[in-house]
Amino acid sequence: MPKGFGFVEIIVSARRDYAGSPCRARCTAGYHGCMHILSGLAKAQIGWPRAAGCAALAFLLAATGPAQAQSAAQSHPALLRALNALRQQGCGKGSRPAAPLRENAALSRAASLIADGRKLDSALQTVDYRAVSTLQITVRGASGAAALAPKALGGSCGAALHAELLEAGFHQRGTQTWVVLAAPFSPPAAAQAEEVQARVLALVNEARSRPQRCGDKAFAPAPPLRLNPTLSGIASAHAGDMARHGYFSHTGRDGSTVDGRATRAGYAWEAIGENIAAGQLSADAAMRGWMNSPGHCANIMSPAFSEMGAAFVVNRQSSQGIYWTQVFGTAP
């Protein structure tokens, strides 16, 4: 730590997608064998991110110095340049360059609120900024761009290099600087639904083209699936219901499960299965989680299925933000 700095306080609250939460597989009454798709309904549930603010770290470097008020609305090009130079040069041996940040006005307003005593989560909520990961750094005892030099940041320097962080906000009063870094919640747009569904299908068929191990069960390569519009509609309806009403379950609010929803939609099925996920911001992220979960992976690899549908629905006000449903089937 630089000479003359009083103390360093580190508060860590971390959350990561697929952080090892146990998966659960369930069967519908009247079926035989959870994972025997031809005669049973396989349903698995995975871990998902909780609220926004996935890796919230607050670093406080304390010293004394005069305070001078600053408008939260103004941009901070000098501070942004200093931080991006730091991300390019690193904090010492072994540091890897990180992509440059862009300043976000809402994050700068949040930094101003934090300077006035707000907590990070409260400040982000007030400025209506949703993030999947955040980092707060507060420096006292240095002014201007020098506040973001490696010596001033001390032991917290490496935290500013996290590659997932893409946006920054700043507030400075004299020799005090508040910085908020974030990976923004950036889900696909509704207009991209067909493109995203095509990507899910491509990833599924890529997985099915090779042998896979799903937990303790080995699967041989399976024939490719095709999209089915009815299954896509079933997936979209369930993802939308979860998003609108803020729940995460294979069981709908009306008590239905995927077999009943398929029948109700007019899909006469010989085999039916469903994967769900929440919080992932891309088809690739959702598929990685499913392939890392034995029950989901088994659905993806099952030779009992010949077609599928997939959908996502976004509700920024919901607990998870984005919900995914994947429905597999084989019709007579």
Side-chain angles (χ1 to χ4, degrees):
M1 183 188 307
K3 184 178 179 180
F5 281 70
F7 63 91
V8 176
E9 179 184 2
I10 301 177
I11 305 168
V12 178
S13 173
R15 190 190 72 248
R16 287 287 184 270
D17 292 355
Y18 308 111
S21 300
C23 300
R24 300 192 297 275
R26 302 174 303 179
C27 294
T28 298
Y31 289 85
H32 306 283
C34 262
M35 304 315 297
H36 187 202
I37 307 298
L38 286 172
S39 59
L41 179 65
K43 301 190 295 176
Q45 184 167 307
I46 58 177
W48 65 95
R50 293 182 181 269
C54 171
L57 295 84
F59 296 84
L60 176 63
L61 306 182
T64 59
Q68 181 177 350
Q70 173 197 47
S71 169
Q74 72 184 68
S75 61
H76 306 81
L79 294 176
L80 182 63
R81 283 195 300 271
L83 192 53
N84 281 336
L86 176 73
R87 284 169 67 86
Q88 186 63 36
Q89 298 165 7
C91 300
K93 291 183 178 179
S95 295
R96 294 184 177 181
L101 301 164
R102 57 183 177 267
E103 183 171 1
N104 181 286
L107 289 181
S108 290
R109 291 196 299 273
S112 175
L113 292 172
I114 292 168
D116 290 335
R118 290 283 192 93
K119 298 294 185 182
L120 175 63
D121 287 348
S122 173
L124 292 175
Q125 185 174 7
T126 298
V127 301
D128 194 26
Y129 185 98
R130 182 161 191 157
V132 295
S133 64
T134 54
L135 168 70
Q136 176 196 333
I137 302 175
T138 303
V139 181
R140 297 180 184 177
S143 59
L148 299 181
K151 282 188 177 181
L153 291 173
S156 65
C157 180
L161 305 184
H162 286 308
E164 66 183 7
L165 301 170
L166 300 175
E167 296 187 334
F170 307 92
H171 187 74
Q172 204 167 53
R173 292 175 184 165
T175 59
Q176 301 179 72
T177 304
W178 293 263
V179 181
V180 179
L181 308 179
F185 176 72
S186 302
Q192 297 175 280
E194 290 187 6
E195 175 187 341
V196 171
Q197 181 176 229
R199 178 62 178 164
V200 173
L201 179 66
L203 292 170
V204 166
N205 286 336
E206 180 182 343
R208 287 170 69 92
S209 70
R210 304 187 305 273
Q212 301 285 349
R213 179 165 289 276
C214 302
D216 60 1
K217 187 172 182 180
F219 284 83
L225 302 181
R226 60 182 177 271
L227 287 178
N228 177 283
T230 301
L231 294 181
S232 297
I234 296 165
S236 180
H238 189 56
D241 196 57
M242 289 191 294
R244 284 190 298 275
H245 299 283
Y247 70 96
F248 183 71
S249 175
H250 291 279
T251 303
R253 293 179 307 116
D254 60 358
S256 66
T257 50
V258 65
D259 55 331
R261 291 191 288 269
T263 300
R264 187 168 60 199
Y267 184 82
W269 53 272
E270 288 184 350
I272 197 78
E274 179 183 74
N275 288 344
I276 60 175
Q280 298 75 25
L281 298 180
S282 68
D284 291 63
M287 275 294 297
R288 281 195 299 271
W290 285 330
M291 289 302 295
N292 288 331
S293 169
H296 297 83
C297 176
N299 274 349
I300 290 168
M301 293 303 299
S302 173
F305 296 132
S306 61
E307 48 194 8
M308 62 157 276
F312 70 90
V313 175
V314 174
N315 178 0
R316 298 182 67 90
Q317 281 67 52
S318 64
S319 60
Q320 311 307 321
I322 180 171
Y323 295 77
W324 299 80
T325 303
Q326 187 178 40
V327 179
F328 305 91
T330 296

